[in-house]
Structures are given as C-alpha cells and as structure tokens.
Amino acid sequence: MINIVLFGKPGAGKGTQAEFLKTKYNLTHLSTGDIFRYNIKGNTDLGKLAKTFMDKGELVPDEVTIKMLESECNNNPDSSGFLFDGFPRTISQAEALDAFLESKNDTITATVALEADDEILVKRLLERGKTSGRPDDQDEEKIRNRYQEYNEKTAPLMDYYKGQNKFQSVNGIGSIAEITERLSMVINSLK
Ligand code: AMP
C-alpha cells in the first residue's frame, strides 16, 4: 500500500497529475476541493458551509475537512493506496491524517510537491477560470487570498514532512507528460 500526498500551490497542476497517477498506480484519488465542489453542486449542508469559505479563497475549517476526509477513506476500505490531493493543508490536518492512518496500521509513504513560480500560477489560474466555472479562479483578489492561506497555513507542512523524511519535490513547469514522468520517477523509487 502506498499513500502519497500531492503537494503544491493552487494551480500547480495537482488535479491534472492526479488523474494520470491514480490510473498508473491504482490509487484512490481523494481531492478535498473536488469533494467540496460536489457537495456545493448537490446543495448539501456541507456544501453550503464550505461555499462560504471557498468563495472568499479561505480554507474550510479543519474539523469539517478532517471529518469529511476520514469518512471518504472509510468509504474505500479495499483501496490499494490513496493519492491525497489538496489535503492536508494545515499542520492540524497533517497530524490528524497521521493519527488516522496509524489507527489503521498504515502511514503516509511520501509527499511530493509540484514546484512553480507564483506569478506563473496566478496567470494559469485566471486562464483556467475562463473555462472551469470556478468562482475562486476568476477573481485575482480571491486567488491572492488563496496564496496567502497557502503561505501561512500550508507551507509549514514542508518542514513537517521533511522532519519525517517524507518530502520530495519536482519541477512543476513543463508539459503534462514531462511532469507525470518526473512524479513517476519519485513514486517508482518508493516501491
Ligand atoms: P482546491 O480544489 O484544492 O484548489 O480547493 C479549493 C478550495 O476548497 C480551497 O481554496 C479551500 O477553500 C477548500 N479546500 C480544499 N481542500 C481543503 C483543505 N484540505 N482544507 C481546507 N480547505 C480546503
């Protein structure tokens, strides 16, 4: 069983790469952003709550996010490994994930970051916003707020995983295929 955390700033390409990697390595792809958007579409209580934060480019509170993620993992008891995309985003989430996996005699195998320059990413997100329909991709102020949330709350996770010897990074600029190849090299080295 391998459990990978795909790490990177908004727009770094986590979702795109996860689509390829989940098939290649037979992993269950869990994107907390996608799960929130699914709930917003379905107008569930969780969706209504998440929307109030997402629309401002803020993180959804830890308690809600952690509970949701754990229940998604529990819904996939036969999984041969998880690919976490957009989770964890805070130290509390990372600690909760470690404790949750440990309770199942499991662990994070590695965290792999997609590295890219902020200015390139902001342009990429605004471009994506033209077709994605995502309100948080269409407004530069919201995008900047997401980066601020990332720098304050998510960036410290790099040291958290480095402290566990579980942090690696790849250059996130290039063609989709090139980046998949870089990520695959890291994942292959874990097996
Ligand atoms: P993403 O699709 O990963 O870019 O996430 C879109 C938005 O969903 C984020 O800006 C947050 O508002 C929310 N979100 C997704 N994942 C998390 C998480 N792990 N913790 C808190 N909020 C999250």
Side-chain angles (χ1 to χ4, degrees):
M1 180 127 172
I2 56 168
N3 296 308
I4 310 273
V5 173
L6 204 50
F7 192 80
K9 292 174 186 167
K14 299 186 293 293
T16 304
Q17 290 301 327
E19 286 302 314
F20 290 100
L21 297 174
K22 72 173 186 192
T23 312
K24 188 162 178 183
Y25 296 99
N26 191 25
L27 299 172
T28 306
H29 174 208
L30 290 185
S31 155
T32 39
D34 283 352
I35 303 167
F36 284 134
R37 281 184 289 276
Y38 180 79
N39 275 277
I40 290 173
K41 239 187 192 160
N43 207 20
T44 67
D45 287 344
L46 174 64
K48 285 180 206 156
L49 176 79
K51 191 172 171 12
T52 61
F53 296 94
M54 290 169 76
D55 277 354
K56 290 183 275 183
E58 290 173 8
L59 293 184
V60 178
D62 282 338
E63 206 188 289
V64 179
T65 309
I66 291 166
K67 210 169 121 201
M68 176 181 88
L69 191 275
E70 291 184 354
S71 107
E72 289 289 329
C73 288
N74 287 332
N75 286 342
N76 288 280
D78 300 325
S79 171
S80 60
F82 290 98
L83 182 59
F84 297 105
D85 159 8
F87 185 94
R89 261 177 156 104
T90 63
I91 296 280
S92 300
Q93 291 180 15
E95 287 172 347
L97 181 60
D98 277 348
F100 175 74
L101 290 174
E102 203 180 310
S103 75
K104 298 186 178 299
N105 271 326
D106 208 343
T107 187
I108 292 293
T109 317
T111 305
V112 196
L114 287 168
E115 304 272 10
D117 181 74
D118 280 17
E119 292 311 312
I120 295 180
L121 294 182
V122 171
K123 280 200 198 109
R124 212 191 259 181
L125 280 185
L126 284 167
E127 206 45 48
R128 180 170 88 181
K130 289 181 191 162
T131 52
S132 72
R134 282 180 55 169
D136 59 346
D137 281 349
Q138 288 168 13
D139 176 333
E140 187 155 345
E141 203 179 314
K142 286 178 191 173
I143 292 175
R144 300 268 171 208
N145 205 25
R146 286 159 70 195
Y147 281 93
Q148 197 174 326
E149 289 280 75
Y150 175 90
N151 289 331
E152 271 173 32
K153 298 173 183 166
T154 310
L157 288 179
M158 288 190 257
D159 280 340
Y160 179 87
Y161 286 113
K162 278 179 192 163
Q164 297 187 358
N165 270 327
K166 288 181 180 174
F167 185 83
Q168 306 202 49
S169 61
V170 302
N171 178 358
I173 302 296
S175 71
I176 292 175
E178 277 165 355
I179 299 166
T180 309
E181 185 53 34
R182 288 175 203 149
L183 289 168
S184 300
M185 275 167 65
V186 173
I187 297 175
N188 291 341
S189 74
L190 301 171
K191 290 182 153 188

mmCIF file with all atom_site columns, all heavy atoms in Angstrom, residues 175-191:
data_model
loop_
_atom_site.group_PDB
_atom_site.id
_atom_site.type_symbol
_atom_site.label_atom_id
_atom_site.label_alt_id
_atom_site.label_comp_id
_atom_site.label_asym_id
_atom_site.label_entity_id
_atom_site.label_seq_id
_atom_site.pdbx_PDB_ins_code
_atom_site.Cartn_x
_atom_site.Cartn_y
_atom_site.Cartn_z
_atom_site.occupancy
_atom_site.B_iso_or_equiv
_atom_site.pdbx_formal_charge
_atom_site.auth_seq_id
_atom_site.auth_comp_id
_atom_site.auth_asym_id
_atom_site.auth_atom_id
_atom_site.pdbx_PDB_model_num
ATOM 1   N N   . SER A 1 175 ? 5.603  20.147 -19.866 1.00 0.00 ? 175 SER A N   1
ATOM 2   C CA  . SER A 1 175 ? 4.375  19.575 -20.420 1.00 0.00 ? 175 SER A CA  1
ATOM 3   C C   . SER A 1 175 ? 3.768  18.637 -19.377 1.00 0.00 ? 175 SER A C   1
ATOM 4   O O   . SER A 1 175 ? 4.464  18.173 -18.460 1.00 0.00 ? 175 SER A O   1
ATOM 5   C CB  . SER A 1 175 ? 4.676  18.808 -21.708 1.00 0.00 ? 175 SER A CB  1
ATOM 6   O OG  . SER A 1 175 ? 5.376  17.618 -21.392 1.00 0.00 ? 175 SER A OG  1
ATOM 7   N N   . ILE A 1 176 ? 2.489  18.345 -19.533 1.00 0.00 ? 176 ILE A N   1
ATOM 8   C CA  . ILE A 1 176 ? 1.820  17.444 -18.585 1.00 0.00 ? 176 ILE A CA  1
ATOM 9   C C   . ILE A 1 176 ? 2.559  16.104 -18.528 1.00 0.00 ? 176 ILE A C   1
ATOM 10  O O   . ILE A 1 176 ? 2.822  15.572 -17.452 1.00 0.00 ? 176 ILE A O   1
ATOM 11  C CB  . ILE A 1 176 ? 0.335  17.257 -18.987 1.00 0.00 ? 176 ILE A CB  1
ATOM 12  C CG1 . ILE A 1 176 ? -0.413 18.581 -18.775 1.00 0.00 ? 176 ILE A CG1 1
ATOM 13  C CG2 . ILE A 1 176 ? -0.324 16.128 -18.210 1.00 0.00 ? 176 ILE A CG2 1
ATOM 14  C CD1 . ILE A 1 176 ? -1.856 18.584 -19.234 1.00 0.00 ? 176 ILE A CD1 1
ATOM 15  N N   . ALA A 1 177 ? 2.943  15.606 -19.714 1.00 0.00 ? 177 ALA A N   1
ATOM 16  C CA  . ALA A 1 177 ? 3.615  14.300 -19.764 1.00 0.00 ? 177 ALA A CA  1
ATOM 17  C C   . ALA A 1 177 ? 4.978  14.342 -19.069 1.00 0.00 ? 177 ALA A C   1
ATOM 18  O O   . ALA A 1 177 ? 5.362  13.410 -18.362 1.00 0.00 ? 177 ALA A O   1
ATOM 19  C CB  . ALA A 1 177 ? 3.777  13.856 -21.215 1.00 0.00 ? 177 ALA A CB  1
ATOM 20  N N   . GLU A 1 178 ? 5.698  15.441 -19.270 1.00 0.00 ? 178 GLU A N   1
ATOM 21  C CA  . GLU A 1 178 ? 7.014  15.563 -18.615 1.00 0.00 ? 178 GLU A CA  1
ATOM 22  C C   . GLU A 1 178 ? 6.877  15.534 -17.101 1.00 0.00 ? 178 GLU A C   1
ATOM 23  O O   . GLU A 1 178 ? 7.659  14.897 -16.389 1.00 0.00 ? 178 GLU A O   1
ATOM 24  C CB  . GLU A 1 178 ? 7.684  16.893 -19.003 1.00 0.00 ? 178 GLU A CB  1
ATOM 25  C CG  . GLU A 1 178 ? 8.422  16.870 -20.322 1.00 0.00 ? 178 GLU A CG  1
ATOM 26  C CD  . GLU A 1 178 ? 8.753  18.283 -20.839 1.00 0.00 ? 178 GLU A CD  1
ATOM 27  O OE1 . GLU A 1 178 ? 8.327  19.298 -20.234 1.00 0.00 ? 178 GLU A OE1 1
ATOM 28  O OE2 . GLU A 1 178 ? 9.434  18.355 -21.863 1.00 0.00 ? 178 GLU A OE2 1
ATOM 29  N N   . ILE A 1 179 ? 5.856  16.232 -16.623 1.00 0.00 ? 179 ILE A N   1
ATOM 30  C CA  . ILE A 1 179 ? 5.695  16.316 -15.166 1.00 0.00 ? 179 ILE A CA  1
ATOM 31  C C   . ILE A 1 179 ? 5.229  14.969 -14.603 1.00 0.00 ? 179 ILE A C   1
ATOM 32  O O   . ILE A 1 179 ? 5.685  14.537 -13.544 1.00 0.00 ? 179 ILE A O   1
ATOM 33  C CB  . ILE A 1 179 ? 4.745  17.476 -14.808 1.00 0.00 ? 179 ILE A CB  1
ATOM 34  C CG1 . ILE A 1 179 ? 5.354  18.796 -15.311 1.00 0.00 ? 179 ILE A CG1 1
ATOM 35  C CG2 . ILE A 1 179 ? 4.522  17.568 -13.308 1.00 0.00 ? 179 ILE A CG2 1
ATOM 36  C CD1 . ILE A 1 179 ? 4.413  19.969 -15.335 1.00 0.00 ? 179 ILE A CD1 1
ATOM 37  N N   . THR A 1 180 ? 4.345  14.287 -15.348 1.00 0.00 ? 180 THR A N   1
ATOM 38  C CA  . THR A 1 180 ? 3.932  12.939 -14.907 1.00 0.00 ? 180 THR A CA  1
ATOM 39  C C   . THR A 1 180 ? 5.162  12.045 -14.790 1.00 0.00 ? 180 THR A C   1
ATOM 40  O O   . THR A 1 180 ? 5.288  11.265 -13.844 1.00 0.00 ? 180 THR A O   1
ATOM 41  C CB  . THR A 1 180 ? 2.941  12.292 -15.916 1.00 0.00 ? 180 THR A CB  1
ATOM 42  O OG1 . THR A 1 180 ? 1.893  13.213 -16.186 1.00 0.00 ? 180 THR A OG1 1
ATOM 43  C CG2 . THR A 1 180 ? 2.343  11.018 -15.387 1.00 0.00 ? 180 THR A CG2 1
ATOM 44  N N   . GLU A 1 181 ? 6.074  12.172 -15.762 1.00 0.00 ? 181 GLU A N   1
ATOM 45  C CA  . GLU A 1 181 ? 7.286  11.356 -15.766 1.00 0.00 ? 181 GLU A CA  1
ATOM 46  C C   . GLU A 1 181 ? 8.148  11.652 -14.522 1.00 0.00 ? 181 GLU A C   1
ATOM 47  O O   . GLU A 1 181 ? 8.644  10.741 -13.863 1.00 0.00 ? 181 GLU A O   1
ATOM 48  C CB  . GLU A 1 181 ? 8.065  11.653 -17.072 1.00 0.00 ? 181 GLU A CB  1
ATOM 49  C CG  . GLU A 1 181 ? 9.292  10.806 -17.320 1.00 0.00 ? 181 GLU A CG  1
ATOM 50  C CD  . GLU A 1 181 ? 9.008  9.304  -17.247 1.00 0.00 ? 181 GLU A CD  1
ATOM 51  O OE1 . GLU A 1 181 ? 7.906  8.882  -17.636 1.00 0.00 ? 181 GLU A OE1 1
ATOM 52  O OE2 . GLU A 1 181 ? 9.908  8.580  -16.769 1.00 0.00 ? 181 GLU A OE2 1
ATOM 53  N N   . ARG A 1 182 ? 8.275  12.944 -14.214 1.00 0.00 ? 182 ARG A N   1
ATOM 54  C CA  . ARG A 1 182 ? 9.077  13.316 -13.022 1.00 0.00 ? 182 ARG A CA  1
ATOM 55  C C   . ARG A 1 182 ? 8.445  12.736 -11.763 1.00 0.00 ? 182 ARG A C   1
ATOM 56  O O   . ARG A 1 182 ? 9.136  12.213 -10.891 1.00 0.00 ? 182 ARG A O   1
ATOM 57  C CB  . ARG A 1 182 ? 9.153  14.846 -12.893 1.00 0.00 ? 182 ARG A CB  1
ATOM 58  C CG  . ARG A 1 182 ? 10.041 15.487 -13.942 1.00 0.00 ? 182 ARG A CG  1
ATOM 59  C CD  . ARG A 1 182 ? 9.980  17.025 -13.845 1.00 0.00 ? 182 ARG A CD  1
ATOM 60  N NE  . ARG A 1 182 ? 10.367 17.602 -15.120 1.00 0.00 ? 182 ARG A NE  1
ATOM 61  C CZ  . ARG A 1 182 ? 9.909  18.761 -15.605 1.00 0.00 ? 182 ARG A CZ  1
ATOM 62  N NH1 . ARG A 1 182 ? 9.051  19.490 -14.905 1.00 0.00 ? 182 ARG A NH1 1
ATOM 63  N NH2 . ARG A 1 182 ? 10.309 19.206 -16.774 1.00 0.00 ? 182 ARG A NH2 1
ATOM 64  N N   . LEU A 1 183 ? 7.132  12.841 -11.665 1.00 0.00 ? 183 LEU A N   1
ATOM 65  C CA  . LEU A 1 183 ? 6.452  12.318 -10.471 1.00 0.00 ? 183 LEU A CA  1
ATOM 66  C C   . LEU A 1 183 ? 6.570  10.792 -10.418 1.00 0.00 ? 183 LEU A C   1
ATOM 67  O O   . LEU A 1 183 ? 6.764  10.208 -9.352  1.00 0.00 ? 183 LEU A O   1
ATOM 68  C CB  . LEU A 1 183 ? 4.970  12.723 -10.489 1.00 0.00 ? 183 LEU A CB  1
ATOM 69  C CG  . LEU A 1 183 ? 4.688  14.211 -10.241 1.00 0.00 ? 183 LEU A CG  1
ATOM 70  C CD1 . LEU A 1 183 ? 3.238  14.543 -10.581 1.00 0.00 ? 183 LEU A CD1 1
ATOM 71  C CD2 . LEU A 1 183 ? 4.965  14.574 -8.784  1.00 0.00 ? 183 LEU A CD2 1
ATOM 72  N N   . SER A 1 184 ? 6.477  10.161 -11.584 1.00 0.00 ? 184 SER A N   1
ATOM 73  C CA  . SER A 1 184 ? 6.546  8.696  -11.633 1.00 0.00 ? 184 SER A CA  1
ATOM 74  C C   . SER A 1 184 ? 7.903  8.206  -11.150 1.00 0.00 ? 184 SER A C   1
ATOM 75  O O   . SER A 1 184 ? 8.000  7.182  -10.467 1.00 0.00 ? 184 SER A O   1
ATOM 76  C CB  . SER A 1 184 ? 6.320  8.180  -13.059 1.00 0.00 ? 184 SER A CB  1
ATOM 77  O OG  . SER A 1 184 ? 5.052  8.590  -13.505 1.00 0.00 ? 184 SER A OG  1
ATOM 78  N N   . MET A 1 185 ? 8.949  8.968  -11.503 1.00 0.00 ? 185 MET A N   1
ATOM 79  C CA  . MET A 1 185 ? 10.290 8.556  -11.060 1.00 0.00 ? 185 MET A CA  1
ATOM 80  C C   . MET A 1 185 ? 10.362 8.545  -9.534  1.00 0.00 ? 185 MET A C   1
ATOM 81  O O   . MET A 1 185 ? 10.941 7.649  -8.934  1.00 0.00 ? 185 MET A O   1
ATOM 82  C CB  . MET A 1 185 ? 11.364 9.476  -11.648 1.00 0.00 ? 185 MET A CB  1
ATOM 83  C CG  . MET A 1 185 ? 11.782 9.015  -13.039 1.00 0.00 ? 185 MET A CG  1
ATOM 84  S SD  . MET A 1 185 ? 12.759 10.243 -13.909 1.00 0.00 ? 185 MET A SD  1
ATOM 85  C CE  . MET A 1 185 ? 14.201 10.293 -12.874 1.00 0.00 ? 185 MET A CE  1
ATOM 86  N N   . VAL A 1 186 ? 9.755  9.552  -8.933  1.00 0.00 ? 186 VAL A N   1
ATOM 87  C CA  . VAL A 1 186 ? 9.761  9.597  -7.463  1.00 0.00 ? 186 VAL A CA  1
ATOM 88  C C   . VAL A 1 186 ? 8.947  8.421  -6.910  1.00 0.00 ? 186 VAL A C   1
ATOM 89  O O   . VAL A 1 186 ? 9.400  7.699  -6.015  1.00 0.00 ? 186 VAL A O   1
ATOM 90  C CB  . VAL A 1 186 ? 9.166  10.933 -6.954  1.00 0.00 ? 186 VAL A CB  1
ATOM 91  C CG1 . VAL A 1 186 ? 9.027  10.912 -5.443  1.00 0.00 ? 186 VAL A CG1 1
ATOM 92  C CG2 . VAL A 1 186 ? 10.034 12.109 -7.389  1.00 0.00 ? 186 VAL A CG2 1
ATOM 93  N N   . ILE A 1 187 ? 7.768  8.203  -7.459  1.00 0.00 ? 187 ILE A N   1
ATOM 94  C CA  . ILE A 1 187 ? 6.904  7.140  -6.919  1.00 0.00 ? 187 ILE A CA  1
ATOM 95  C C   . ILE A 1 187 ? 7.548  5.762  -7.131  1.00 0.00 ? 187 ILE A C   1
ATOM 96  O O   . ILE A 1 187 ? 7.519  4.914  -6.235  1.00 0.00 ? 187 ILE A O   1
ATOM 97  C CB  . ILE A 1 187 ? 5.487  7.206  -7.546  1.00 0.00 ? 187 ILE A CB  1
ATOM 98  C CG1 . ILE A 1 187 ? 4.836  8.543  -7.171  1.00 0.00 ? 187 ILE A CG1 1
ATOM 99  C CG2 . ILE A 1 187 ? 4.618  6.035  -7.082  1.00 0.00 ? 187 ILE A CG2 1
ATOM 100 C CD1 . ILE A 1 187 ? 3.490  8.821  -7.806  1.00 0.00 ? 187 ILE A CD1 1
ATOM 101 N N   . ASN A 1 188 ? 8.162  5.572  -8.291  1.00 0.00 ? 188 ASN A N   1
ATOM 102 C CA  . ASN A 1 188 ? 8.816  4.278  -8.541  1.00 0.00 ? 188 ASN A CA  1
ATOM 103 C C   . ASN A 1 188 ? 9.928  4.010  -7.535  1.00 0.00 ? 188 ASN A C   1
ATOM 104 O O   . ASN A 1 188 ? 10.179 2.868  -7.166  1.00 0.00 ? 188 ASN A O   1
ATOM 105 C CB  . ASN A 1 188 ? 9.391  4.242  -9.965  1.00 0.00 ? 188 ASN A CB  1
ATOM 106 C CG  . ASN A 1 188 ? 8.295  4.210  -11.014 1.00 0.00 ? 188 ASN A CG  1
ATOM 107 O OD1 . ASN A 1 188 ? 7.151  3.877  -10.704 1.00 0.00 ? 188 ASN A OD1 1
ATOM 108 N ND2 . ASN A 1 188 ? 8.621  4.590  -12.239 1.00 0.00 ? 188 ASN A ND2 1
ATOM 109 N N   . SER A 1 189 ? 10.576 5.092  -7.103  1.00 0.00 ? 189 SER A N   1
ATOM 110 C CA  . SER A 1 189 ? 11.692 4.912  -6.166  1.00 0.00 ? 189 SER A CA  1
ATOM 111 C C   . SER A 1 189 ? 11.194 4.531  -4.763  1.00 0.00 ? 189 SER A C   1
ATOM 112 O O   . SER A 1 189 ? 11.973 4.136  -3.907  1.00 0.00 ? 189 SER A O   1
ATOM 113 C CB  . SER A 1 189 ? 12.537 6.189  -6.096  1.00 0.00 ? 189 SER A CB  1
ATOM 114 O OG  . SER A 1 189 ? 11.832 7.170  -5.361  1.00 0.00 ? 189 SER A OG  1
ATOM 115 N N   . LEU A 1 190 ? 9.893  4.646  -4.542  1.00 0.00 ? 190 LEU A N   1
ATOM 116 C CA  . LEU A 1 190 ? 9.349  4.352  -3.208  1.00 0.00 ? 190 LEU A CA  1
ATOM 117 C C   . LEU A 1 190 ? 9.016  2.870  -3.054  1.00 0.00 ? 190 LEU A C   1
ATOM 118 O O   . LEU A 1 190 ? 8.809  2.369  -1.973  1.00 0.00 ? 190 LEU A O   1
ATOM 119 C CB  . LEU A 1 190 ? 8.033  5.114  -2.988  1.00 0.00 ? 190 LEU A CB  1
ATOM 120 C CG  . LEU A 1 190 ? 8.090  6.642  -3.091  1.00 0.00 ? 190 LEU A CG  1
ATOM 121 C CD1 . LEU A 1 190 ? 6.676  7.207  -3.080  1.00 0.00 ? 190 LEU A CD1 1
ATOM 122 C CD2 . LEU A 1 190 ? 8.899  7.205  -1.940  1.00 0.00 ? 190 LEU A CD2 1
ATOM 123 N N   . LYS A 1 191 ? 8.919  2.207  -4.201  1.00 0.00 ? 191 LYS A N   1
ATOM 124 C CA  . LYS A 1 191 ? 8.395  0.829  -4.158  1.00 0.00 ? 191 LYS A CA  1
ATOM 125 C C   . LYS A 1 191 ? 9.458  -0.187 -3.781  1.00 0.00 ? 191 LYS A C   1
ATOM 126 O O   . LYS A 1 191 ? 10.607 0.010  -4.032  1.00 0.00 ? 191 LYS A O   1
ATOM 127 C CB  . LYS A 1 191 ? 7.794  0.499  -5.506  1.00 0.00 ? 191 LYS A CB  1
ATOM 128 C CG  . LYS A 1 191 ? 6.516  1.280  -5.756  1.00 0.00 ? 191 LYS A CG  1
ATOM 129 C CD  . LYS A 1 191 ? 5.937  0.892  -7.062  1.00 0.00 ? 191 LYS A CD  1
ATOM 130 C CE  . LYS A 1 191 ? 4.436  1.102  -7.088  1.00 0.00 ? 191 LYS A CE  1
ATOM 131 N NZ  . LYS A 1 191 ? 3.834  0.560  -8.288  1.00 0.00 ? 191 LYS A NZ  1
#
